[in-house]
Structures are given as C-alpha cells and as structure tokens.
Amino acid sequence: MQVPAPFEYQRVGSVGEAVALLDRLGDTARLVAGGHSLIPMMKLRLANFEYLIDINDLHDELGYVRVEPGLIRIGAMTRHRELLESDELAAAFPVFRDAERVIADPVVRNRGTLGGSLCQADPSEDLSAVCTTLDASCVIQGRDGERVVSMEDFHRGPYETAVGDAEILTEVRFPVRPNGSSAYEKVERRAGDWAVVSAGAAVWLDGDGLIADARVGLAAVGPNTAGIPGIADALRGRRPTEELFGQAGDIAAEACSPVTDRRGSAEYKRHLARELTLRVLRRAVARIDGQEV
Ligand SMILES: Cc1cc2nc3c(=O)[nH]c(=O)nc-3n(C[C@H](O)[C@H](O)[C@H](O)COP(=O)(O)OP(=O)(O)OC[C@H]3O[C@@H](n4cnc5c(N)ncnc54)[C@H](O)[C@@H]3O)c2cc1C
C-alpha cells in the first residue's frame, strides 16, 4: 500500500487563520481541500510537504453559488456535487452541469472542490476548461488583502498557478451576459476517467441572431487548459452555421498542442479538438434557442 511521507496536520477555522499559518510555514506547507488530487500525489511521493493545512471547516465561509445581477460568484470550497446540483448555475451556465456529469465519480465529486481543481492546475482538469470558457476571474487572498486574476493569468504552467505560498484562492467570479448559452463535451476512455480531450464553448448572440462573442476552452491538449482567442475573432459578427463551427474546429485543432501518451496519439487528440469544438458550439447556440442537440 502506498503511504505518504509523515506530515503535521492542522485544521483551520477561517481564511485569515489559513493565510497566517501559510505565511508562517512558507513552502513547507500545503492547503488540503477535498484531497483528491493532493493526497494521491503525496502517496505516490510526487509531492511531499511537512505540514498540511485542512481547510474543510471553511466550507461554511467558502462553499456557495451566489447569483447576482450580471455576476455569479462561486466560493473556492464549493464541491463538485454542489456545482452539479445547482439549478441556478445550470440555468445560467449549462456548461457546468455538462462538465460535472463527466468528472470522476460520486466519491470524488462529494469531496473535490472548485478551488482544488483550479489550484491543482492539471492540464486535463475539466473545471479549469469550464472557467476558461466562461472568462472567469479568480480572487486570491493573502496577508495584504485580495487580488483578482484572470484565468489566462491564473495558470502559469502544468501544476503551477498565480497563487503564492502564503495565499489562498477564495472565490471564482463569472460575468453573466444576456442572450448566451454554453456546453461541454468530453471524450474519455472509461466513464469517470480523465479526458482524452474535452471542450467547452460559450456563445452570445446579438439582436439580429449574429454571434456577438464566442469562447472555447480545451482541456488535455497542451500545458494548460487553453482558451482559443482566434475562435472569437473568427466568429464575431457572423451568422452561426455548421460551416462556421467547422472553421472554428479547424482553428482549435491548429492552435492546440497535444502530445502522444497512453490516452491517444497527438493526431487523434487534434481530431478530437476539432470535432468537440464544432459540437459544443453547435450545442451552445441551439440552447440559446431553447433546443437540445
Ligand atoms: C479517481 C479520480 C478521478 C478524477 N477524475 C477527474 C476528471 O475526470 N476530471 C477532473 O477535472 N478532475 C478529476 N479528478 C480530480 C478531482 O476533480 C479533484 O477533486 C480536484 O482536482 C482537486 O480538488 P480537491 O478539492 O480534491 O483538491 P486537493 O487535492 O485538496 O488540492 C489540490 C491542490 O490545490 C491546492 N488547493 C486546494 N484548495 C485551494 C485553495 N482554496 N487555495 C489555494 N490552493 C488550494 C492544494 O494545496 C493542492 O495543491 C479526479 C480525481 C480522482 C481521485
């Protein structure tokens, strides 16, 4: 049986307490939320820390989905299951429920958190692709107060984020714009597995039915979950058609940088990036008209 190296363990009761402890312990300490990414890495000895600071008691403070005019705020300790079950969230951003249905299994979804998913910064992380798709921004709290970082700036590389040693991600914010919808699709080898490739899309239409804006986020095809700005440029002001979605798929396939691994060849993943981009754009646009495809 794999066991982690010995570590000291402490539970904290507030964000302030977590930050103070992180500040004191420096890079010898790590926060543990759901533990579904960190603990397996410690068991495999891919990560070793002298101290684990358990933030599960912060669920009351940081576990929420708040819908406000023009903005949805989600606390970092909100668990996958809560994201899956939130009807308010699904109404504004169906991409969340689409993604949560295919993330892991109920055991992982009962414990794993939004904050842990983003901070793990695994290039295959589904919620990172969702947040990129929705142009989210991340609220990071440190000793000197809070700062807000865009998703583009949040992920610095595989398993690296903008969160400093003495900081904690507290909230993720999502702008809500009118006349839009979203969708997510994933290809996995077995139910509950990590993505071979997955894609999210969000589309907004103007009063004439033309595309006002569109965003696509891909997972598992590069060092980070990647937004593809070229797609927005190509789609804005155009009428949504199958041909246009195909063009967007071509841009996605061109822009991504998959590698061959045990989940599939780079060529196959590029094919999936194209096909999934087309499908999620089609589905997001259909949903604006109240249809499911
Ligand atoms: C069997 C299995 C299958 C899985 N399948 C999928 C899948 O299909 N798709 C998918 O996307 N994910 C999958 N996951 C990952 C799962 O979604 C994890 O729950 C998630 O990646 C991490 O969330 P967590 O709360 O468990 O984080 P933890 O493991 O507790 O923490 C992960 C990292 O984030 C840091 N951290 C946590 N919270 C904060 C915070 N608020 N501020 C700063 N740093 C923080 C920790 O210090 C640690 O470095 C799977 C996991 C397992 C075990």
Side-chain angles (χ1 to χ4, degrees):
M1 195 172 80
Q2 288 159 332
V3 290
F7 57 85
E8 298 290 322
Y9 169 89
Q10 179 135 7
R11 292 183 85 100
V12 288
S14 69
V15 168
E17 208 185 321
V19 169
L21 206 50
L22 285 169
D23 196 36
R24 186 155 64 78
L25 298 172
D27 63 6
T28 59
R30 262 303 153 99
L31 300 176
V32 59
H36 272 300
S37 290
L38 183 61
I39 303 300
M41 287 184 75
M42 290 180 70
K43 283 182 168 177
L44 292 168
R45 310 278 174 127
L46 295 171
N48 292 304
F49 297 99
E50 286 175 46
Y51 301 90
L52 283 195
I53 303 171
D54 186 336
I55 55 173
N56 281 279
D57 290 346
L58 307 192
H59 184 262
D60 283 352
E61 191 178 349
L62 298 183
Y64 54 82
V65 175
R66 291 189 189 132
V67 179
E68 299 173 3
L71 188 71
I72 291 184
R73 299 166 187 267
I74 306 182
M77 280 304 293
T78 310
R79 303 199 192 272
H80 290 297
R81 182 180 56 76
E82 295 168 311
L83 296 170
L84 175 65
E85 291 176 356
S86 169
D87 291 332
E88 276 184 307
L89 188 59
F93 300 132
V95 61
F96 258 107
R97 188 166 280 169
D98 288 348
E100 285 293 359
R101 281 190 172 128
V102 290
I103 291 176
D105 51 47
V107 174
V108 173
R109 293 200 295 263
N110 278 340
R111 295 294 295 173
T113 63
L114 173 62
S117 298
L118 297 195
C119 292
Q120 181 64 19
D122 187 307
S124 304
E125 201 83 56
D126 291 293
L127 286 187
S128 298
V130 168
C131 292
T132 299
T133 300
L134 295 175
D135 198 16
S137 40
C138 298
V139 182
I140 300 169
Q141 176 92 39
R143 202 183 44 184
D144 300 327
E146 69 176 36
R147 59 199 178 96
V148 181
V149 174
S150 70
M151 276 309 290
E152 279 73 25
D153 293 332
F154 186 79
H155 284 138
R156 297 270 165 90
Y159 310 102
E160 259 192 82
T161 72
V163 182
D165 284 339
E167 291 185 316
I168 173 171
L169 173 67
T170 54
E171 183 178 86
V172 186
R173 295 179 181 161
F174 302 85
V176 181
R177 295 191 259 164
N179 208 24
S181 197
S182 54
Y184 196 79
E185 289 210 18
K186 170 172 168 176
V187 170
E188 54 198 344
R189 290 177 307 170
R190 293 169 304 213
D193 204 356
W194 292 86
V196 179
V197 175
S198 52
V203 181
W204 297 267
L205 299 181
D206 67 16
D208 297 322
L210 304 180
I211 294 175
D213 201 5
R215 294 180 60 88
V216 167
L218 298 176
V221 285
N224 291 321
T225 55
I228 318 270
I231 291 184
D233 296 340
L235 267 55
R236 269 192 217 108
R238 308 277 302 277
R239 192 158 299 283
T241 61
E242 281 293 298
E243 191 190 353
L244 191 65
F245 302 152
Q247 285 170 21
D250 289 341
I251 295 170
E254 181 75 16
C256 68
S257 49
V259 291
T260 297
D261 59 17
R262 63 197 168 85
R263 294 200 182 108
S265 68
E267 190 189 2
Y268 174 54
K269 293 180 186 181
R270 232 178 251 287
H271 164 76
L272 289 180
R274 182 190 189 282
E275 182 61 27
L276 293 182
T277 296
L278 182 154
R279 287 190 202 172
V280 286
L281 285 167
R282 179 198 288 147
R283 202 154 159 219
V285 169
R287 282 175 167 168
I288 300 175
D289 294 331
Q291 296 165 11
E292 276 297 336
V293 290

